[in-house]
C-alpha cells in the first residue's frame, strides 16, 4: 500500500470531489463506498474497485478483510485519520473507503418482458429514503428498481451507505421519466401510490406477476403525467390523523404487499 500524507495529493482531491459532486461522479463514472461491510459487499458482488483507502488503525483492526480488499483493488493507500476525515462522509469514520466504477445494470433488465415485480421512483429526492428503499427492495425480492432521471443521485455516499450493499446486488435503471418507461413497457400492469381515500386500498389488491408500483416525490407525490400513464391507483389505509407516510416506509409496505 502507498502512504498518502498530503491533502493536496490528487488521489485525495479526487475522492473529495466524488463525495461532494454528483456531476463529477457522472463525468468520471465513479463513486465512493465507505465502511468495511459495504466495501466487502462491493468486492463480493464483483464491482470494480478502482482504489482502496484505509487508516493504519483500520488496517490493524480488520487485517484479514482489508488484505483481501487490497488484493482485489486496482490501487490501495494508507493515510492518517485526520486525512481520512477529509474524504469521509460519516461522523465517526471506520477508516475504510473505496472508489468504485459505476455499475452497469442494463443487462439485468433484459428479461423485463418475461414479467417480474418492479418498483418505480418518480422524483424521490431524499438520499436516506432511497438507500432504505433499495435495502427493502432487495430484502423482499423485488425484481428491480426504476428511477426517473430527476431522482436524487443513486451513487451519493448516503444512498450507497444506506442501501447496506443492496446497490451492488439489486437491478436498477435510470430513465428519462417514469411515464416514458411505462409507455415503453405496456406489458407491465402499473399501480400508482396516491393519498386519496377514493383509490383502491392496497390491502385489497392482488399484484400480478408482471407489474410495477410507482412512488412519488416526498412532498408532491407522483407527477400528473405519470399518473395519467398508470393503469391503477391505490392508497395505504391509515388510522389516526397522519396524512401520509415517509416515502421509504410507504415503499416497504408496498413491496411487502406486492410479493406476499
Amino acid at each position: 500500500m502507498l502512504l498518502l500524507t498530503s491533502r493536496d495529493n490528487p488521489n485525495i482531491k479526487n475522492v473529495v470531489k466524488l463525495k461532494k459532486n454528483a456531476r463529477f461522479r457522472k463525468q468520471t463514472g465513479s463513486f465512493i463506498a465507505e465502511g468495511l461491510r459495504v466495501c466487502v459487499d462491493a468486492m463480493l458482488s464483483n464491482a470494480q474497485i478502482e482504489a482502496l483507502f484505509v487508516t493504519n488503525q483500520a488496517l490493524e483492526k480488520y487485517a484479514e478483510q482489508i488484505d483481501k480488499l487490497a488484493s482485489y483493488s486496482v490501487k490501495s493507500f494508507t493515510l492518517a485519520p485526520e486525512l481520512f476525515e477529509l474524504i469521509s462522509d460519516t461522523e465517526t469514520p471506520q477508516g475504510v473507503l473505496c472508489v468504485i466504477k459505476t455499475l452497469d445494470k442494463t443487462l439485468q433488465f433484459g428479461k423485463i418482458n418475461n414479467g417480474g415485480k418492479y418498483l418505480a421512483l418518480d422524483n424521490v429526492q431524499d438520499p436516506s429514503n432511497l438507500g432504505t428503499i433499495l435495502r427493502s427492495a432487495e430484502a423482499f425480492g423485488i425484481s428491480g428498481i426504476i428511477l426517473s432521471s430527476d431522482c436524487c443521485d443513486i451513487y451519493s455516499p448516503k444512498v450507497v451507505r444506506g442501501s447496506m450493499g443492496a446497490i451492488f446486488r439489486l437491478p436498477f435503471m435510470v430513465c428519462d421519466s417514469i411515464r416514458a418507461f411505462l409507455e415503453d413497457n405496456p406489458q407491465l400492469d402499473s399501480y400508482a401510490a396516491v393519498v386519496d381515500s377514493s383509490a383502491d386500498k392496497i390491502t385489497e389488491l392482488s399484484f400480478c406477476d408482471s407489474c410495477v408500483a410507482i412512488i412519488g416525490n416526498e412532498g408532491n407525490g407522483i407527477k400528473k403525467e405519470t399518473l395519467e400513464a398508470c393503469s391503477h391507483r391505490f392508497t395505504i389505509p391509515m388510522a389516526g390523523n397522519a396524512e401520509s407516510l415517509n416515502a421509504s416506509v410507504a415503499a416497504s409496505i408496498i413491496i411487502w404487499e406486492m410479493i406476499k
Side-chain angles (χ1 to χ4, degrees):
M1 289 188 180
L2 296 176
L3 175 64
L4 302 180
T5 58
S6 172
R7 63 191 302 147
D8 293 323
N9 183 282
N11 293 286
I12 296 295
K13 288 185 173 181
N14 182 67
V15 178
V16 172
K17 289 185 71 174
L18 288 173
K19 176 179 73 170
K20 296 180 177 180
N21 195 316
R23 181 176 295 179
F24 186 68
R25 291 193 290 268
K26 186 174 183 179
Q27 289 174 345
T28 59
S30 302
F31 65 102
I32 66 171
E34 185 177 356
L36 181 65
R37 177 175 174 177
V38 176
C39 291
V40 169
D41 279 341
M43 177 181 66
L44 295 177
S45 301
N46 297 316
Q48 183 179 339
I49 299 179
E50 298 178 318
L52 169 68
F53 298 82
V54 298
T55 61
N56 284 325
Q57 291 85 342
L59 185 57
E60 293 176 3
K61 187 174 183 179
Y62 312 110
E64 184 177 350
Q65 296 100 315
I66 289 178
D67 184 58
K68 292 178 181 178
L69 280 169
S71 298
Y72 181 82
S73 305
V74 177
K75 299 182 292 184
S76 55
F77 305 97
T78 58
L79 61 170
E82 56 269 22
L83 201 56
F84 191 89
E85 289 181 1
L86 290 176
I87 63 174
S88 173
D89 190 58
T90 63
E91 293 184 5
T92 55
Q94 199 174 18
V96 184
L97 182 148
C98 287
V99 174
I100 301 171
K101 199 68 178 173
T102 300
L103 308 168
D104 184 1
K105 300 279 189 170
T106 307
L107 293 177
Q108 293 180 309
F109 274 82
K111 297 182 179 180
I112 197 167
N113 289 327
N114 296 329
K117 294 182 177 180
Y118 298 86
L119 193 70
L121 307 180
D122 196 20
N123 192 31
V124 170
Q125 290 297 302
D126 189 325
S128 296
N129 280 336
L130 180 51
T132 301
I133 289 170
L134 293 174
R135 187 177 179 182
S136 295
E138 188 208 10
F140 294 118
I142 283 295
S143 303
I145 298 284
I146 300 94
L147 303 96
S148 61
S149 59
D150 54 3
C151 281
C152 63
D153 183 17
I154 195 170
Y155 292 116
S156 78
K158 187 171 288 187
V159 174
V160 175
R161 190 167 60 253
S163 78
M164 294 298 289
I167 190 172
F168 301 114
R169 298 181 291 267
L170 181 69
F172 65 82
M173 66 181 295
V174 179
C175 59
D176 289 338
S177 71
I178 300 303
R179 177 176 184 138
F181 172 82
L182 296 177
E183 291 174 346
D184 290 341
N185 294 277
Q187 77 281 5
L188 293 176
D189 213 7
S190 52
Y191 296 81
V194 298
V195 181
D196 184 349
S197 59
S198 65
D200 295 330
K201 292 181 175 59
I202 190 173
T203 50
E204 298 173 358
L205 291 177
S206 295
F207 291 91
C208 64
D209 290 333
S210 186
C211 67
V212 55
I214 300 95
I215 295 173
N217 176 268
E218 291 87 346
N220 301 316
I222 296 173
K223 296 173 190 169
K224 181 180 179 182
E225 64 176 42
T226 307
L227 280 173
E228 292 173 348
C230 291
S231 308
H232 312 279
R233 301 184 186 190
F234 70 90
T235 189
I236 300 173
M238 294 181 290
N241 297 319
E243 292 184 2
S244 62
L245 295 169
N246 171 277
S248 60
V249 173
S252 296
I253 293 171
I254 292 167
I255 290 167
W256 172 253
E257 290 290 338
M258 288 178 75
I259 58 87
K260 72 177 184 180

